[in-house]
Amino acid sequence: MKNVKSITVTTSLIFVLAFAACKKSGTQNSSPDEQTVALSAGRGVPLVPASGALLGHYYGNGTITETDARIGRRPAIHLTYYSWTDHWSKSIPTKQDLAEGRIPLINWEPYNVKFKDIVSGKYDTQIRLQADEAKAIGRQFFLDFAAEMNGDEAWGDHNPDLYVKTFRHIHDIFIARGATNAVWVWCPNNADEPGTPAVMQYYPGNAYVDWVGADGYNWGTSDSDDEWETFYQVFEDIYSKISVTGKPMMIGEMASDEIGGDKAKWISQIVPTLKEKFPAIKAVVWFDVVKERHWQINSSQTTLNAYRAMAKNPYFN
C-alpha cells in the first residue's frame, strides 16, 4: 500500500495491553522469552508457530485497546511503518511491543534514497547504527525491507539486480554487526506491475531471507476496472510462485472491501483456505484502516462478527 506511514504515526504510538502467548500446557500469560521459544520450537526458522498460523494487525482504526476489544483477542504480530532514516528499534511502538509480548513487524520503507547509493556504501554508517540498535533490543522481530518491490512502489526503479544487491548489502551489514535477531521478510505484491520484471527476479536468495510473503487485497467493485476476488483468488498466483523457496510464508498486508460481494464470507473463508490450499502460510496481517477502500474489520456488523469468529479459531491460537 502506498504512503501508509502518514497514517501510522498517531495510531501506532498507543499501547495499553499485553499479548499473552500460549504455553505448551495450553495456559496463557507466558513470558516473552517463552513465547519465542514456543514459536520456534522444532523449527529451523525463527518465529514459526508450532502449528497453525500467527494473526497480526495494523492498528489504523483505533487504539490497541479499542481494536482488541472489537476482535475479542490479542493478535500476536503488530505491523508498523518506518522511513529510511527512522530509528525503529528505539521507537515507542517497538519498545512496547517487545515489553508486552507482541512480535514487531517492521515495514522499513526506503523513500527518497537511491538504491545505488546504498549499494555503494554511502549509507553504511547509518545502516551500521540501525543494526547495532536492532541487536541491542535482544529479541527477535520481523524486518520487512522495501516491500511490494514488484508493484507500484517500484523500489529500485523495478531493477531486480539493483534491488537484490541492496537487500543483500543491508542484510550483510546486520549480520556483520551481530544483529541476528532480525528475522528477514521478503514481501512482494501479489501481482506484478504490468510491463515490469517477474516477481522472482527480485528474490535475494534463501541465504538472505527467513520468511517470504505477499501483500494482497480484494479491491471489490468500487472501481469499474476491478472485480471481486475471494481470499484464495487474491493469493493463488503469488503463492504458487514464492512457495518454491521452501520458506515459511507471511501475508504482510491483507483486507477486503465491502462493495461487490460478501465481505463476511470472504473473511470466513480465510482459515479453511489456509488449511486446505495455503499450508505454507504461517502468519497473516490484517490492514485495519479506512484508506483506498473500507478495509476496516468493523466496516459492518456482519463483517466484524465474521472477523471475531475467525480470530478465535484454534488455527490462530
Side-chain angles (χ1 to χ4, degrees):
M1 304 289 288
K2 297 179 70 175
N3 302 321
V4 176
K5 186 175 184 293
S6 62
I7 61 175
T8 305
V9 175
T10 300
T11 58
S12 64
L13 291 176
I14 307 173
F15 292 82
V16 291
L17 61 96
F19 168 71
C22 293
K23 293 183 180 178
K24 292 181 180 179
S25 64
T27 60
Q28 292 188 336
N29 296 322
S30 59
S31 70
D33 287 341
E34 288 171 324
Q35 174 200 352
T36 299
V37 170
L39 293 174
S40 303
R43 304 283 178 153
V45 180
L47 299 181
V48 175
S51 62
L54 303 175
L55 182 64
H57 213 77
Y58 168 70
Y59 291 90
N61 186 34
T63 68
I64 286 180
T65 300
E66 293 166 345
T67 303
D68 287 355
R70 290 190 195 113
I71 297 172
R73 64 156 293 181
R74 302 160 178 167
I77 298 171
H78 179 205
L79 169 63
T80 52
Y81 296 83
Y82 296 91
S83 68
W84 172 243
T85 58
D86 284 343
H87 295 275
W88 32 263
S89 292
K90 291 187 172 183
S91 71
I92 292 174
T94 298
K95 287 182 177 180
Q96 293 198 273
D97 280 345
L98 294 166
E100 297 168 4
R102 290 179 294 272
I103 305 170
L105 170 55
I106 305 297
N107 192 307
W108 192 8
E109 300 182 310
Y111 285 112
N112 302 317
V113 58
K114 295 179 179 179
F115 277 24
K116 65 178 182 180
D117 289 338
I118 298 176
V119 173
S120 73
K122 179 178 179 179
Y123 296 100
D124 281 4
T125 298
Q126 172 196 317
I127 299 168
R128 284 193 290 266
L129 176 58
Q130 287 165 311
D132 292 344
E133 292 171 347
K135 178 183 177 181
I137 66 178
R139 293 283 311 286
Q140 292 178 326
F141 63 94
F142 291 115
L143 181 56
D144 183 2
F145 172 74
E148 301 184 22
M149 75 302 298
N150 62 321
D152 58 10
E153 292 291 5
W155 304 116
D157 298 321
H158 282 304
N159 181 333
D161 182 62
L162 181 58
Y163 177 89
V164 168
K165 288 179 179 178
T166 302
F167 193 105
R168 290 179 175 182
H169 184 80
I170 296 171
H171 175 278
D172 287 347
I173 291 176
F174 270 64
I175 297 301
R177 304 296 287 189
T180 55
N181 54 318
V183 179
W184 292 83
V185 182
W186 176 75
C187 194
N189 195 50
N190 68 320
D192 298 333
E193 187 76 1
T196 63
V199 61
M200 291 308 296
Q201 294 184 44
Y202 297 91
Y203 186 56
N206 279 5
Y208 294 88
V209 174
D210 298 308
W211 287 58
V212 295
D215 293 350
Y217 294 81
N218 170 33
W219 292 84
T221 60
S222 297
D223 189 313
S224 60
D225 292 334
D226 295 326
E227 59 184 42
W228 186 269
E229 292 183 298
T230 65
F231 174 74
Y232 175 71
Q233 289 171 328
V234 171
F235 294 103
E236 174 186 14
D237 185 59
I238 190 65
Y239 183 90
S240 67
K241 291 175 180 176
I242 67 177
S243 61
V244 299
T245 64
K247 298 289 186 177
M249 295 173 58
M250 170 189 296
I251 297 179
E253 294 178 8
M254 71 171 187
S256 172
D257 191 20
E258 287 275 5
I259 307 300
D262 187 337
K263 184 174 178 177
K265 182 179 179 181
W266 195 94
I267 291 170
S268 70
Q269 292 174 336
I270 290 174
V271 171
T273 304
L274 292 175
K275 290 180 177 179
E276 298 167 13
K277 303 293 185 180
F278 300 147
I281 294 177
K282 300 301 181 182
V284 298
V285 181
W286 190 275
F287 190 70
D288 185 20
V289 71
V290 180
K291 198 167 176 274
E292 304 91 344
R293 300 287 190 274
H294 287 281
W295 306 126
Q296 72 271 36
I297 62 172
N298 62 335
S299 51
S300 71
Q301 187 60 50
T302 55
T303 290
L304 179 58
N305 292 343
Y307 195 90
R308 287 173 61 89
M310 181 201 72
K312 292 179 180 179
N313 190 292
Y315 199 76
F316 288 126
N317 291 275

